[in-house]
Amino acid sequence: MLIAECLYFLRNSMIYHEAIVVGGGLAGLRAAIELNRNNVRVAIISKVHPIRSHSVAAQGGINASLGNHPRGLYDNWEKHAFDTVKGSDYLADQDAVIRMTKEAAERIYEMEHWGCPFSRTSEGKIAQRPFGGAGFPRTCYAADKTGHALLHTLYQQIIKFKQAAERKEITIYEEWLVTDLVVEDGICVGVIALDIVSGRLEAFQSGAVIFATGGAGRIYGRSTNALINTGMGMAIPYWTGVPLKDMEFIQFHPTTLLGKNILITEGCRGEGGYLLNNKGERFLEKYNDSKKDMEVAPRDIISRNIMYEIMAGGGFDNSYVHLDLTHLGEEKIAKRLPGIRDASMEFVGVDPVTAPIPIQPGQHYTMGGIDCNTECETSIKGFYAAGEAACVSVHGANRLGGNSLLDTIVFGAIAGSNAARYVQDLESRKGESASYDALKRAEQRVDVLCKSEGNEVPVDIKVALNRVMDNKVGIFREASKLKDALHEVKVLQERYKRIKLNYAGKRVNLGLVWALELKGSLDVAEAVIAGALAREESRGSHFRTDFPKRDDTGLLKHTLAYFTPEGVKLGYKPVNIGTFKPKERKY
Ligand SMILES: Cc1cc2nc3c(=O)[nH]c(=O)nc-3n(C[C@H](O)[C@H](O)[C@H](O)COP(=O)(O)OP(=O)(O)OC[C@H]3O[C@@H](n4cnc5c(N)ncnc54)[C@H](O)[C@@H]3O)c2cc1C
């Protein structure tokens, strides 16, 4: 070690944890619990208080083949696996899907035993509602606030484990933004993070790092996602050499509140809500791919059919349709969908008990993410990914509603358990030099940003990015628009180099935080567009008007996006097909 480094580490208390989890949402908290159960000293780093993570906003429910629905039909994990693979338009890796659907029931009962207040059947079992693309009502829920119930349950467990004398501690760093992943000789040795309050950058050394940093929805403007879902958590490993997988697959949810894009859960349709055009018709029956399952067909299909209906003149003001719940009655709405009623009354002045809700599709979920395998391992040793930030892949080209919450707790636990085993087998701690260098580089980067005398306003670049993504990389895609979008994002990346912050101080400089994250959003958006342009077929959520058919001969494969300073480079890898052979998808 150089003298400068030694002096540095003498002056600054080095932060060390056996394992670090970045992200305080469901995937991150579940991973941390598993590490702690394995007696690993773990730290959670989150840029917001954990229960402000986007997981808290999840509404409709979480899937598991418990078979509790009073209809008395028989459900099992194989049926759940088949529905998931079919929903994914056969792009999901079937070994991963089997792992998730097999472990689902155990994870749900664990949550129940930890105190999650699930809604109940009259017999006291966990209630399950029908959801899109599922052959059976298998979505467990806590009214329309399932994410809230799950996340608070996990956070309470964290508090409990934190205080348990017999275990090693769990440390939580709230309001710290991770900016870099530190890698030495191909092995992950920690992260660099900015303490948002003091403005200080620190090197965190660790045997293993798990990224559970959530989705990238906010590269779009019309999105149901929290503003914190910038995609930076995907960009960090991407910059460090880990590819992003299947980024072109962006889910558009059919029902978001007109103009605001607040989510109106699929649970509304699961409970029996209708989609109506301006003639009051349930128009989904006009479309071949949704005429059987109607309102509970999968999201990609319903979103497209809403848009077709609007384009054919069946919408209101050429921009929205109605979601009608009035026939469900006040009691059911109050019991099962109270949050939806509140949001609808609050934001568009419509009480769904008496009038239909105006809705339009909006960006909702990032199917792609950090490339990892079923064990949540990435191409960098000691670096794991889980939750929406990761692409295992269980959702393929289109995620089924209720499967994402399941993904977070199943793969959160898997990531935690594998990381625990990995750190316990590690012989020696290393990485001082790499941490020092990475910290110096990060400090320099932040200094340059704070002192920059450029003429570009970061928020203008963000708004321009959102507009490009909304207008050119939406539900319907075509080569010319995608090429324009790619060009425009490259221009924005150039403009980014000339940004100037309003305030150059270090303490609570949210302008600095947003500016750092904006770089991540731009690079992740580039990966989305490049993948979409290269994928000359239509599969799941990715619909190319110039290539409307699925191409299993040439494109039944995962896209890998690699970062290079000149821009994104694409590669591919095979899909793990198992017993479910690709067929045409109809509902
Ligand atoms: C409105 C809405 C409703 C939904 N409803 C459902 C549903 O009913 N069923 C379902 O299955 N799915 C649903 N989803 C999807 C599901 O909620 C999410 O995919 C899931 O909760 C993501 O969990 P996560 O733990 O991966 O990430 P998140 O909950 O998004 O957490 C990400 C965490 O990472 C932290 N973080 C990110 N970057 C950094 C950084 N650089 N440094 C430090 N910390 C960082 C954040 O602070 C946060 O704690 C819904 C999504 C939305 C938006």
Side-chain angles (χ1 to χ4, degrees):
M1 205 190 281
L2 297 172
I3 296 173
E5 293 170 35
C6 296
L7 286 176
Y8 176 85
F9 283 117
L10 281 178
R11 257 200 323 271
N12 299 272
S13 54
M14 197 184 6
I15 303 177
Y16 173 76
H17 297 274
E18 287 175 285
I20 285 175
V21 177
V22 183
L26 283 169
L29 296 189
R30 188 61 192 78
I33 288 174
E34 205 59 27
L35 281 152
N36 181 263
R37 271 178 163 177
N38 284 282
N39 213 24
V40 170
R41 195 178 318 125
V42 55
I44 299 167
I45 307 181
S46 174
K47 63 185 177 185
V48 297
H49 186 286
I51 55 176
R52 296 187 61 216
S53 305
H54 186 60
S55 290
V56 83
Q59 300 177 349
I62 175 165
N63 297 339
S65 55
L66 309 181
N68 285 350
H69 197 265
R71 247 201 254 157
L73 300 169
Y74 177 66
D75 197 15
N76 60 21
W77 68 261
E78 283 98 334
K79 291 186 191 176
H80 185 185
F82 171 71
D83 291 339
T84 302
V85 170
K86 179 179 171 192
S88 82
D89 223 346
Y90 296 89
L91 192 74
D93 284 326
Q94 295 187 16
D95 54 341
V97 171
I98 287 172
R99 181 97 190 253
M100 179 176 82
T101 51
K102 257 188 178 170
E103 288 185 21
E106 189 186 336
R107 292 281 85 85
I108 296 290
Y109 290 132
E110 178 180 70
M111 293 300 298
E112 182 190 36
H113 296 166
W114 279 340
C116 182
F118 285 114
S119 296
R120 299 281 161 176
T121 65
S122 53
E123 302 160 290
K125 293 182 182 168
I126 294 175
Q128 297 190 280
R129 55 167 53 129
F131 243 50
F136 192 87
R138 68 167 71 93
T139 304
C140 313
Y141 57 95
D144 56 2
K145 297 171 183 169
T146 313
H148 187 276
L150 292 170
L151 193 64
H152 280 74
T153 303
L154 284 190
Y155 190 66
Q156 284 158 6
Q157 290 303 307
I158 292 275
I159 301 293
K160 186 178 91 183
F161 289 139
K162 224 167 126 62
Q163 291 165 352
E166 72 280 10
R167 308 245 190 148
K168 287 192 181 167
E169 81 235 25
I170 301 180
T171 311
I172 304 181
Y173 296 88
E174 284 164 25
E175 303 195 338
W176 283 72
L177 177 79
V178 170
T179 57
D180 298 79
L181 194 61
V182 186
V183 177
E184 190 176 66
D185 303 330
I187 297 174
C188 179
V189 292
V191 298
I192 306 297
L194 173 82
D195 174 10
I196 297 173
V197 174
S198 71
R200 191 178 76 247
L201 279 154
E202 288 283 3
F204 287 71
Q205 285 187 265
S206 180
V209 173
I210 300 175
F211 263 40
T213 48
R218 280 292 165 178
I219 58 175
Y220 286 82
R222 290 193 287 272
S223 169
T224 64
N225 279 207
L227 291 170
I228 55 171
N229 289 6
T230 59
M232 191 196 184
M234 294 178 184
I236 294 167
Y238 175 56
W239 293 327
T240 321
V242 181
L244 297 180
K245 185 160 76 201
D246 292 338
M247 290 302 289
E248 60 271 33
F249 296 102
I250 297 285
Q251 179 161 82
F252 296 88
H253 197 288
T255 57
T256 77
L257 208 52
L258 175 66
K260 319 286 177 196
N261 302 109
I262 295 169
L263 183 73
I264 300 296
T265 174
E266 188 165 316
C268 294
R269 285 170 284 132
E271 295 293 349
Y274 297 147
L275 285 171
L276 304 178
N277 63 13
N278 57 15
K279 298 197 189 77
E281 297 162 346
R282 288 176 70 193
F283 58 89
L284 291 174
E285 67 191 353
K286 292 199 276 187
Y287 299 90
N288 259 341
D289 48 3
S290 63
K291 68 179 176 201
K292 183 165 146 276
D293 283 5
M294 297 290 287
E295 281 83 359
V296 289
R299 293 174 177 178
D300 55 337
I301 291 174
I302 298 191
S303 290
R304 278 196 293 275
N305 291 349
I306 290 174
M307 296 312 293
Y308 286 135
E309 189 63 17
I310 293 171
M311 290 188 283
F316 299 88
D317 293 342
N318 235 349
S319 63
Y320 68 95
V321 294
H322 276 158
L323 173 63
D324 188 10
L325 308 181
T326 53
H327 54 287
L328 301 183
E330 183 163 5
E331 196 187 330
K332 190 166 185 181
I333 292 174
K335 202 163 152 208
R336 304 271 178 88
L337 303 163
I340 292 306
R341 188 179 185 189
D342 284 351
S344 179
M345 288 167 75
E346 185 74 29
F347 291 95
V348 290
V350 169
D351 182 355
V353 170
T354 54
I357 310 173
I359 58 92
Q360 58 185 183
Q363 190 286 340
H364 182 56
Y365 185 80
T366 321
M367 261 81 72
I370 303 165
D371 175 37
C372 64
N373 63 17
T374 313
E375 301 300 332
C376 303
E377 296 158 339
T378 68
S379 55
I380 295 180
K381 247 182 135 190
F383 175 58
Y384 301 78
E388 190 170 341
C391 181
V392 174
S393 110
V394 283
H395 310 302
N398 172 65
R399 168 176 78 83
L400 293 188
N403 266 354
S404 166
L405 291 179
L406 178 63
D407 168 1
T408 64
I409 57 172
V410 167
F411 290 101
I414 292 173
S417 128
N418 287 329
R421 203 165 312 121
Y422 174 78
V423 294
Q424 279 155 353
D425 291 345
L426 266 186
E427 274 165 15
S428 67
R429 218 176 81 197
K430 47 193 289 192
E432 280 85 357
S433 264
S435 298
Y436 175 81
D437 292 347
L439 180 62
K440 290 287 124 195
R441 278 198 304 273
E443 283 172 348
Q444 225 170 27
R445 236 175 32 234
V446 167
D447 260 12
V448 168
L449 255 182
C450 288
K451 290 185 188 142
S452 161
E453 283 302 323
N455 54 2
E456 292 287 354
V457 181
V459 72
D460 291 348
I461 298 179
K462 170 148 192 331
V463 169
L465 172 69
N466 288 165
R467 202 170 298 135
V468 173
M469 297 306 286
D470 284 343
N471 297 337
K472 298 188 173 163
V473 200
I475 295 177
F476 298 112
R477 300 161 173 195
E478 64 187 49
S480 60
K481 278 192 183 174
L482 291 171
K483 280 183 191 154
D484 280 356
L486 195 58
H487 171 73
E488 287 177 40
V489 168
K490 284 189 180 295
V491 171
L492 294 176
Q493 286 166 329
E494 285 305 311
R495 283 176 57 190
Y496 178 87
K497 294 179 185 158
R498 300 189 298 273
I499 57 173
K500 179 173 166 52
L501 305 186
N502 269 341
Y503 161 60
K506 291 276 159 72
R507 288 186 67 81
V508 200
N509 188 347
L510 293 182
L512 169 65
V513 170
W514 285 108
L516 289 166
E517 297 216 40
L518 180 57
K519 172 135 184 51
S521 301
L522 288 166
D523 289 356
V524 164
E526 187 192 354
V528 171
I529 304 167
L533 188 56
R535 190 170 279 278
E536 295 184 333
E537 64 157 354
S538 292
R539 182 184 299 275
S541 67
H542 172 70
F543 193 86
R544 289 279 301 254
T545 49
D546 43 358
F547 296 96
K549 291 247 167 342
R550 193 175 83 190
D551 171 12
D552 282 345
T553 325
L555 287 162
L556 181 52
K557 56 187 182 184
H558 296 295
T559 308
L560 294 178
Y562 295 88
F563 174 80
T564 76
E566 298 74 50
V568 53
K569 290 273 169 297
L570 297 181
Y572 292 91
K573 74 175 186 186
V575 175
N576 192 325
I577 307 280
T579 46
F580 308 121
K581 301 295 170 232
K583 287 195 282 208
E584 193 190 347
R585 229 173 120 230
K586 277 198 178 151
Y587 292 91

